[in-house]
């Protein structure tokens, strides 16, 4: 029956399912795997666009009336409506929009009248830099804390880590952000209050879009310092809930692995304790954590919206907030699509790392 | 005979839970001399595996040693527990073959990486060459290729051969095997035993071999210690133990063997629980020749002959007549 369902009736599905198991050998099969996974993103993205489109049009708000102003005559409103194509039936609007996307055009912002794609791409590196460094920090701290807690199971360190992780999840990030600003900027004057870079200092040449990396590539340590100082507080604020999540998953993963017989065996035949825990046990425990990293990336994009607003970080989070407030629906759709694509790609990368850590996945065993 | 390589003397171990302490091992005695193969036999739950864990230093944190000592070449392993020296002894001088080859290898590392990890101490390149030699000796084809593969790519028998090779590659003085064939099917069992016997003869390594299977023990061991509910009840040369068992438990255990001429008989009652063990001799509640004294004091070891030791003052009394009386 299963063969009938998945093997013959929907041959494309069975092929997809086979290939989503990571191949073991060879560059060619890896390329094929990535290509198939990218293709499988398309239906998800289509669903995402459709849903966002419907939701935007279900909301009783109208960009045209606010754009035209209170004194506009009905004729003027109708003319604006026609210019944006809003007078056409919804299905047709949707068709036109999808056709535009297929040509790599996300439309123009209703307010700035500039291409949405261009505006997003200009702001994307700032957000990606913030999220990437927050996630790296969170993974590093979270995995370390979780492992120490598991090794000292039920000891005082474990209890402290548990208390810290629970409060890390419960705490409101905007509150942390404001406290950090009050202490480190306003009291101690160690870190800049907001922004991404010092306007008085020339920015490093744009290569990757990540200021930390670009300044290093330009061998400009002053610029690196400025960028790092600006990044510190928003990064830490964003990382705190992620640290808590990662520490919890690492702790339970390591605790579970420590029960395994191969740990006893390794210990009995004289593995050094540190290598036993930080290499032998940890690699086995990271499966769940790595899956979490993909999900956390999505959560951090959401978290970045508030944090970018507080720290005046010029990323797509603050862009999205403005677009929603102005009901700039092309911009909202554009942000949604770009984040969807990034999220999909990140999860493919996560799956590849996962197979790297767990050899059994490479053969689908 | 020279000083023994391994001496377990009067060892008692409790596993403590929040409410009770399980008296898992009660005044056990085992000795292994250089080049000798000693078997420990007993039913499941008699403390065999706990005894090995105590030697290997992998007892759970809840385990408490109440009395006795474990001496390896005169050094007390219990005192060294957790120190660098104890780790070096386990890494260089003691080889361990675990019970379950399926669960004893880490699925996330290649076989070569994890087997080498425990051999790092030794002579680096020399240890690697020795590992390859041993992989050939346990009849695994293509040793270099084997080391680059992951555990899930091997069968159970192959994994056990890998673990035997790893244990012997360090040229240990003592090899500890914890029911190394239980997890395998019967034909693989005999092959593995054959490999172990050959290699033990060839290298002259002393071996402590734990099993619940008297047939396996008899085929591979020089001397045997029988354990019951955490107590070592009888020690004798393998042939003497099987042909002329002294302790009533050993005699009844041998009668349980379907192939014996006496006909098949079970042992009435159940194995004493370590949570609430009977006082004195733990076998006394099931023993047909027990007297009141047996459940008052733990019997002292007696020596019917220089090579035999039995912890029963009434070992000369016949079970049949006692049962009839």
């Amino acid at each position: 029956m299963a063969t009938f369902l998945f093997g013959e009736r929907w041959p494309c599905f069975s092929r997809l399912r086979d290939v989503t198991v990571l191949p073991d050998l060879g560059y060619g099969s890896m390329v094929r795997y990535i290509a198939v996974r990218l293709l499988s993103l398309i239906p998800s993205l289509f669903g995402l666009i459709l849903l966002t489109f419907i939701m935007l049009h279900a909301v009783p708000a109208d960009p045209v009336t606010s754009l035209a102003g209170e004194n506009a005559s009905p004729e003027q409103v109708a003319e604006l409506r026609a210019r944006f194509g809003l007078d056409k039936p919804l299905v047709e609007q949707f068709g036109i929009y999808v056709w535009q996307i297929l040509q790599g055009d996300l439309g123009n912002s209703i307010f700035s009248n500039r291409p949405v794609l261009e505006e997003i791409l200009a702001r994307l590196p700032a957000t990606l830099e913030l999220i990437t460094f927050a996630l790296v920090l969170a993974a590093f701290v979270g995995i370390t804390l979780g492992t120490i807690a598991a090794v000292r199971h039920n000891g005082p360190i474990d209890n402290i880590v548990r208390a810290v992780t629970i409060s890390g999840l419960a705490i409101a990030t905007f509150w942390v952000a404001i406290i950090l600003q009050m202490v480190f900027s306003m009291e101690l004057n160690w870190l800049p209050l907001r922004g991404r870079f010092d306007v008085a200092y020339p920015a490093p040449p744009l290569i990757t879009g990540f200021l930390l990396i670009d300044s290093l590539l330009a061998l400009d340590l002053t610029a690196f310092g400025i960028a790092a100082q600006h990044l510190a507080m928003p990064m830490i604020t964003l990382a705190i809930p992620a640290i808590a999540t990662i520490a919890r998953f690492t702790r339970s993963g390591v605790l579970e692995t420590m029960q395994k017989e191969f740990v006893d065996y390794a210990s009995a035949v004289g593995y050094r304790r540190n290598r036993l825990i930080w290499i032998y046990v940890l690699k086995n425990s990271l499966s769940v954590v790595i899956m979490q990293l993909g999900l956390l990336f999505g959560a951090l994009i959401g978290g970045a919206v508030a944090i970018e607003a507080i720290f005046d970080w010029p990323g797509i989070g603050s862009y999205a907030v403005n677009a929603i407030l102005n009901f700039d629906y092309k911009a909202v759709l554009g942000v949604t699509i770009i984040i969807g694509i990034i999220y999909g790609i990140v999860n493919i990368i996560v799956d590849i790392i996962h197979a790297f850590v767990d050899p059994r996945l490479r053969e689908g065993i | 005979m020279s000083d023994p390589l391994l001496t377990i003397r009067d060892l008692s171990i409790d596993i403590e839970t929040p409410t009770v302490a399980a008296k898992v091992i009660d005044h056990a005695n085992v000795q292994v001399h250089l080049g000798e193969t000693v078997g420990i036999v007993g039913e499941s739950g008699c403390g065999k595996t706990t005894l090995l864990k105590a030697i290997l230093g992998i007892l759970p944190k809840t385990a408490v040693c109440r009395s006795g000592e474990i001496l390896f070449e005169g050094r007390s392993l219990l005192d060294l527990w957790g120190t660098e020296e104890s780790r070096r002894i386990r890494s260089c001088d003691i080889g361990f073959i675990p019970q379950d080859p399926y669960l004893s290898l880490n699925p996330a590392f290649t076989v070569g990486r994890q087997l080498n990890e425990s051999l790092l101490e030794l002579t680096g390149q020399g240890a690697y060459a020795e590992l390859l030699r041993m992989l050939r000796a346990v009849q695994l084809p293509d040793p270099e290729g084997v080391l680059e593969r992951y555990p899930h790519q091997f069968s159970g028998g192959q994994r056990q051969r890998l673990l035997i090779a790893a244990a012997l590659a360090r040229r240990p003085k003592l090899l500890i095997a914890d029911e190394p064939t239980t997890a395998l099917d019967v034909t693989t069992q005999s092959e593995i035993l054959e490999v172990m016997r050959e290699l033990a003869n060839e290298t002259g390594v002393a071996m402590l071999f734990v099993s619940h299977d008297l047939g396996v023990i008899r085929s591979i061991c020089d001397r045997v210690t029988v354990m019951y509910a955490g107590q070592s009840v009888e020690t004798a040369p393998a042939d003497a133990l099987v042909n002329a068992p002294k302790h009533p438990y050993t005699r009844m255990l041998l009668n349980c063997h379907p192939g014996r001429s006496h006909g098949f008989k079970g042992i009435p009652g159940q194995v004493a629980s370590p949570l609430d063990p009977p006082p004195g001799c733990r076998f006394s509640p099931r023993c047909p020749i027990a007297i009141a004294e047996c459940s008052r004091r733990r019997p002292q070891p007696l020596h019917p002959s220089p090579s035999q030791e039995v912890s029963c003052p009434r070992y000369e009394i016949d079970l049949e007549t006692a049962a009839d009386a």
Side-chain angles (χ1 to χ4, degrees), chain B residues 36-309:
Chain B
E36 182 188 37
T37 299
V38 174
I40 298 182
V41 69
E43 295 163 79
S44 311
C46 72
K48 298 172 301 209
T49 300
T50 309
L51 199 65
L52 293 194
K53 284 188 172 174
I55 302 170
L56 294 165
I58 50 172
L59 283 173
K61 281 177 190 160
T62 49
V64 180
C65 178
R66 272 192 300 113
S67 76
E69 57 187 357
I70 302 176
L71 298 178
F72 182 78
E73 293 186 309
R75 287 171 292 183
S76 165
L77 290 184
L78 291 175
D79 292 343
L80 289 175
W81 206 92
T83 65
E84 179 64 17
E85 194 185 349
S86 117
R87 199 189 57 73
R88 195 166 308 122
I89 290 174
R90 281 179 277 137
S91 176
C92 305
D93 295 337
I94 299 181
F96 173 50
I97 303 171
Q99 177 170 6
D100 192 331
Y102 293 93
L103 300 177
S104 299
L105 288 168
N106 188 331
F109 290 88
T110 62
V111 166
R113 176 99 195 266
Q114 52 188 309
L115 296 191
N116 245 331
E117 181 80 37
S118 63
L119 300 173
L120 281 179
E121 288 306 291
L122 307 159
T123 41
Q125 282 299 314
Y128 183 70
E130 187 64 21
L131 182 60
L132 291 180
R133 203 180 75 77
M134 280 301 159
L135 287 174
R136 259 177 235 117
V138 296
Q139 291 151 31
L140 279 170
D142 181 25
E144 284 92 350
V146 158
L147 292 179
E148 279 163 23
R149 284 153 70 190
Y150 288 93
H152 68 263
Q153 295 168 314
F154 295 94
S155 70
Q158 286 174 318
R159 290 188 214 193
Q160 198 58 286
R161 285 164 197 264
L162 283 168
L163 292 167
I164 292 172
L168 287 169
R170 68 197 70 214
R171 297 211 155 253
K173 293 169 183 158
L174 175 67
L175 189 62
I176 293 180
D178 182 9
E179 311 208 27
T181 56
T182 329
L184 307 173
D185 62 71
V186 185
T187 43
T188 321
Q189 272 186 21
S190 54
E191 285 170 23
I192 294 285
L193 282 178
E194 193 50 42
V195 166
M196 288 186 64
R197 191 162 30 217
E198 270 175 28
L199 290 175
N201 282 341
E202 186 194 317
T203 55
V205 64
M207 186 149 63
L208 186 60
F209 191 103
V210 166
S211 180
H212 61 258
D213 187 337
L214 256 176
V216 169
I217 290 274
R218 193 190 175 187
S219 75
I220 204 166
C221 296
D222 304 320
R223 282 194 311 126
V224 182
T225 295
V226 181
M227 287 191 70
Y228 178 80
Q231 295 176 327
S232 52
V233 294
E234 178 169 1
T235 299
D239 285 334
L241 186 98
V242 175
N243 295 327
K246 301 290 181 201
H247 195 280
Y249 172 66
T250 320
R251 284 189 264 169
M252 294 174 82
L253 188 68
L254 284 164
N255 276 345
C256 291
H257 237 264
R260 302 281 296 192
S261 54
H262 303 64
F264 177 80
K265 281 176 197 155
I267 305 179
Q270 289 187 334
V271 182
S273 160
L275 288 175
D276 184 22
C281 171
R282 288 187 177 182
F283 188 62
S284 56
R286 299 169 78 183
C287 180
I289 54 172
I291 50 174
E293 176 67 11
C294 292
S295 53
R296 260 187 230 125
R297 277 193 316 130
R298 191 165 42 79
Q300 291 306 304
L302 304 171
H303 295 267
S305 76
S307 62
Q308 284 174 296
E309 184 176 295

Side-chain angles (χ1 to χ4, degrees), chain A residues 24 150-153 257-258 260-273 275-276 279-284 355-363 365, chain B residues 53 56-58 61 84 87 90-92 94-100 103-109 113-118 120-121 150 152-153 163 166-167 170:
Chain A
D24 188 16
V151 173
R152 312 245 177 246
H153 183 39
T257 310
M258 298 277 275
K260 296 272 166 71
E261 272 195 47
F262 60 75
V263 177
D264 266 356
Y265 171 73
S267 181
V269 297
Y271 270 50
R272 287 176 191 282
R273 177 129 178 106
R275 293 179 64 90
L276 178 72
I279 298 174
Y280 202 67
V281 169
L282 197 54
K283 190 175 174 195
N284 272 277
F356 207 71
V357 169
D358 190 342
R360 285 169 299 183
L361 283 182
R362 284 174 228 162
E363 293 167 21
I365 291 171
Chain B
K53 284 188 172 174
L56 294 165
I58 50 172
K61 281 177 190 160
E84 179 64 17
R87 199 189 57 73
R90 281 179 277 137
S91 176
C92 305
I94 299 181
F96 173 50
I97 303 171
Q99 177 170 6
D100 192 331
L103 300 177
S104 299
L105 288 168
N106 188 331
F109 290 88
R113 176 99 195 266
Q114 52 188 309
L115 296 191
N116 245 331
E117 181 80 37
S118 63
L120 281 179
E121 288 306 291
Y150 288 93
H152 68 263
Q153 295 168 314
L163 292 167
R170 68 197 70 214

Side-chain angles (χ1 to χ4, degrees), chain A residues 26-49:
Chain A
Y27 178 72
S29 53
M30 184 60 92
V31 169
R32 181 160 158 264
Y33 168 78
I34 294 172
V36 171
R37 285 292 306 266
L38 284 174
L39 282 179
S40 69
L41 269 183
I42 292 172
S44 323
L45 281 175
F46 182 81
L48 181 70
I49 296 167

Side-chain angles (χ1 to χ4, degrees), chain A residues 224-264:
Chain A
F224 180 82
I226 294 171
Q229 280 183 341
H230 281 83
L231 183 63
M233 286 197 299
M235 174 180 77
I236 290 169
T237 315
L238 198 54
I240 285 174
I243 289 174
T245 307
I246 294 174
R248 281 163 45 117
F249 277 97
T250 309
R251 178 178 173 275
S252 64
V254 170
L255 274 181
E256 198 190 317
T257 310
M258 298 277 275
Q259 308 289 325
K260 296 272 166 71
E261 272 195 47
F262 60 75
V263 177
D264 266 356

Side-chain angles (χ1 to χ4, degrees), chain A residues 42-330:
Chain A
I42 292 172
S44 323
L45 281 175
F46 182 81
L48 181 70
I49 296 167
L50 183 64
L51 238 132
T52 320
F53 195 87
I54 293 172
M55 279 157 72
L56 279 174
H57 284 88
V59 177
D62 188 354
V64 174
T65 37
S66 63
L67 195 67
E70 284 176 19
N71 301 325
S73 65
E75 291 78 27
Q76 285 172 311
V77 172
E79 193 211 309
L80 269 177
R81 208 173 278 283
R83 194 189 329 151
F84 295 125
L86 292 172
D87 53 345
K88 299 195 174 86
L90 255 190
V91 178
E92 196 183 335
Q93 285 186 42
F94 184 71
I96 293 170
Y97 184 64
V98 170
W99 182 240
Q100 273 186 333
I101 292 174
L102 288 177
Q103 290 164 319
D105 180 9
L106 294 179
N108 284 7
S109 158
I110 289 180
F111 283 84
S112 68
N113 207 22
R114 292 175 55 218
V116 167
L117 187 62
E118 198 178 284
E119 292 192 324
I120 291 176
L121 288 184
R123 288 169 153 264
L124 192 57
T127 300
L128 287 185
E129 181 175 37
L130 177 61
I131 292 177
T132 307
F133 282 102
L135 205 56
V136 169
L137 174 77
F140 195 75
V141 177
I143 289 174
T144 311
L145 282 182
T147 309
I148 293 175
V151 173
R152 312 245 177 246
H153 183 39
N154 283 338
I157 296 179
D158 187 23
N159 289 333
I160 292 171
V161 170
R162 264 191 288 183
V164 168
T165 52
I166 289 171
S167 39
L169 282 178
I171 218 159
T173 45
F174 63 85
W175 181 81
V176 176
I178 292 166
I179 295 294
L180 284 178
Q181 281 180 325
M182 282 171 63
V183 175
F184 292 100
S185 300
M186 295 157 94
E187 282 299 318
L188 299 170
N189 213 7
W190 288 353
L191 295 170
L193 188 60
R194 56 168 68 99
R196 192 182 176 210
F197 203 72
D198 197 334
V199 280
Y201 193 85
L206 188 90
I207 302 169
T208 60
F210 283 28
L211 283 178
L212 279 184
I213 296 174
D214 285 351
S215 57
L216 278 185
L217 289 176
L219 301 175
D220 187 345
L221 286 182
T222 318
F224 180 82
I226 294 171
Q229 280 183 341
H230 281 83
L231 183 63
M233 286 197 299
M235 174 180 77
I236 290 169
T237 315
L238 198 54
I240 285 174
I243 289 174
T245 307
I246 294 174
R248 281 163 45 117
F249 277 97
T250 309
R251 178 178 173 275
S252 64
V254 170
L255 274 181
E256 198 190 317
T257 310
M258 298 277 275
Q259 308 289 325
K260 296 272 166 71
E261 272 195 47
F262 60 75
V263 177
D264 266 356
Y265 171 73
S267 181
V269 297
Y271 270 50
R272 287 176 191 282
R273 177 129 178 106
N274 281 339
R275 293 179 64 90
L276 178 72
I277 289 163
W278 293 100
I279 298 174
Y280 202 67
V281 169
L282 197 54
K283 190 175 174 195
N284 272 277
S285 319
L286 285 186
S287 278
V288 201
V289 177
I290 289 166
M291 296 313 284
Q292 281 299 313
L293 287 182
L295 297 176
L296 276 173
F297 194 91
L300 289 194
I301 294 176
V305 172
I307 296 196
E308 285 183 3
I310 297 172
F311 288 100
D312 205 9
W313 192 262
I316 49 171
S318 44
Y319 180 75
V321 171
N322 281 328
I324 292 168
L325 291 179
N326 293 328
F327 208 75
D328 189 346
Y329 75 99
K330 284 277 171 66

